Amino acid sequence: MPLARSLSVTSLSGLEEWDEEFDREDAVLFEIAWEVANKVGGIYTVIQTKARLTCEEWGENYFLVGPYMESSVRTQVELIEPCNATLRRTIDKMNSSGCKVYFGRWLIEGSPYVILLDVGFTAWSLDRWKIELWENFSIGVPWFDREANDAVLFGFLTAWLLGELTITTRECDEPPHIVAHFHEWLAGLGLVLCRQRQLPVATIFTTHATLLGRYLCAGSVDFYNKLAEFNVDKEAGDRQIYHRYCLERAAARCAHVFTTVSQITAIEAEHLLKRKPDIVTPNGLNVKKFSAMHEFQNLHAQSKARIQEFVRGHFYGHLDFNLDKTVFLFIAGRYEFSNKGADIFLEALARLNYLLRVNHSEVTIIAFFIMPARTNNFNVETLKGQAVRKQLWDTAQTVKERFGKKLYESLLVGQLPDVSKMLDKEDFTMMKRAIFATQRQCLPPICTHNMLEDSSDPILNCIRRIGLFNSAQDRVKVIFHPEFLSSTSPLLPVDYEEFVRGCHLGVFPSYYEPWGYTPAECTVMGIPSVSTNLSGFGCFMEEHIADPSAYGIYILDRRYRGVDESCNQLTSFLFQFCQQSRRQRIIQRNRTERLSDLLDWRYLGRATGFRYPRPASVPPSPAHSLHSSPHHSEAEDEEEPYDEDLEVEKDRVNIRQPFNLPNRNKNQTVGLPEKN
């Protein structure tokens, strides 16, 4: 597609006019971000997941530019010599001038080329570049802000790289068009320098979340209703981020094309960065479709069994609830108590606990909080729980083997066993000792780790206030795991993807969430989720789905309701979800997984103007239940088998009709119109 340029910046010199259409073979794309081969935040996921598709489209003309981090490079990057002669001369020239520039392949899907700039090696230039920054842009960076210092070094090195490249390509008969796509303020200075030096480079700047927006929301202000009223310079100065804000705003203003990831962030950027984005580019994922419909359901069952094993150990001595009637909820992400909605989630859990108790529900809720915080080690009581569980399992296996041997010997001599004699005194002694080991004088722990700041931790203080202490009377239990999940953990040995697959519902009631990868990941794995109309994901789903809750996408209203009203709405969502039968949850997971095409990088551009209709059958929600919907009792579930192929065909026909979509082969991807 032709490169769009905002009218407000076409007068800035440096970039020659391009033809409306140009051959991609004559263009080179550089994608610049601090998160290239450097896992810091969500932008890492954005770049990593779309690398394969971008490599397919741009081939050898696509290069990622990021910082050189030795620990990451050892495990993620294969260092090689540049195959492009022009680029090789550029890197050699920079290295001979006092830089350290590395070239290699990032070992992810697509194996994209990466150019890594060693900011530490060039730190000797920091003062000189800061002076240049002040003289040319009147932006002063304080010495104590290490992150901003890194942004200065990275920005000048990026501009140096692109500048040397443009000089080298002038020697070519037909120099290629250079496109540079910068992500976030940490990389934005490179864009500003390209424009100030009038380099013939087409620039794109994407903000995934504004700096000031994140800080303001963390301060519990009425952010979205007062966007137009903020004195942005004063607010940034009060929070000691004025220099960072200036770098971000300069990048947004200087870019030929300014983009953001959602409509809600576009409104924010227009008010805080003083420029309306030219294009909204939603974030996607690499979606892996299963050949058989039931495959992802099997993965859910397997992962759920792993989580259930952990729960058996964590609640030893207090396992007075039925795990087959237990629903696993979770919230995960950066530990921003209010921005990520952990506060409203906890309050809703307290209200849900009351509703389940007064209604004498047999359902138990276990809510996981997966948010990294400062800890010094695992909680001893938590580790002991897993040891006790393993000891009980070993005892059961020993007794089973002894029982099996006696049964086998009895059958060998042609006699039916005397069951009363199959277990001897030693067996009973062994089992009694195992039972006594499960006795516990304290309640199951809330937190799996020893917190360094226990007394001031927001989640733990909120739990103390609402009184959810995992007691026998509580129908809602809480487990706070303040560390990223890992399959090598001695406590909960699952990686994040496996954990998500094993849960029933992801809850992300964020107040500030420019996009929201956590609910998106739930969707592609067939797990229903709660998000909000203040998140990019929630707004995107509202735009493209007529009835999101029917597809397992519950969207909480946090824009037009007060906190208490939003909390009541979330409680209602959770209570309705708890009332669903196992069959209803299976149907809903199938529908959720069918939305995965909407979030696939390959199809994101085709979803414009498309809107999923309501499902052909009534959504499996107790609040909307009619006679045609799935029934509630397990007995009726068994009498009325669920035909997934029939359900898919109903939805396929239902989705085609309103849009006159062509008929598809049954094995084809369903749900999106063909590109015109």
Side-chain angles (χ1 to χ4, degrees), residues 252-305:
R253 300 277 289 178
C254 288
H256 291 103
V257 179
F258 175 42
T259 82
T260 190
V261 295
S262 64
Q263 290 292 349
I264 195 75
T265 314
I267 297 169
E268 175 190 343
E270 186 176 359
H271 285 93
L272 300 186
L273 300 180
K274 306 304 180 183
R275 178 175 176 184
K276 184 178 180 179
D278 302 297
I279 307 170
V280 172
T281 52
N283 287 332
L285 286 164
N286 265 340
V287 177
K288 298 177 182 178
K289 303 295 285 186
F290 294 102
S291 56
M293 289 288 181
H294 60 271
E295 255 186 274
F296 83 96
Q297 295 283 6
N298 291 343
L299 288 174
H300 166 74
Q302 293 166 14
S303 299
K304 183 177 71 173

Side-chain angles (χ1 to χ4, degrees), residues 14 106 194-196 246 261 288 313 358 375 402 575 600 628:
W106 191 2
C194 286
R195 301 311 307 275
Q196 185 261 337
C246 288
V261 295
K288 298 177 182 178
V358 298
T375 66
R402 290 161 64 95
F575 187 63
D600 194 330
S628 60

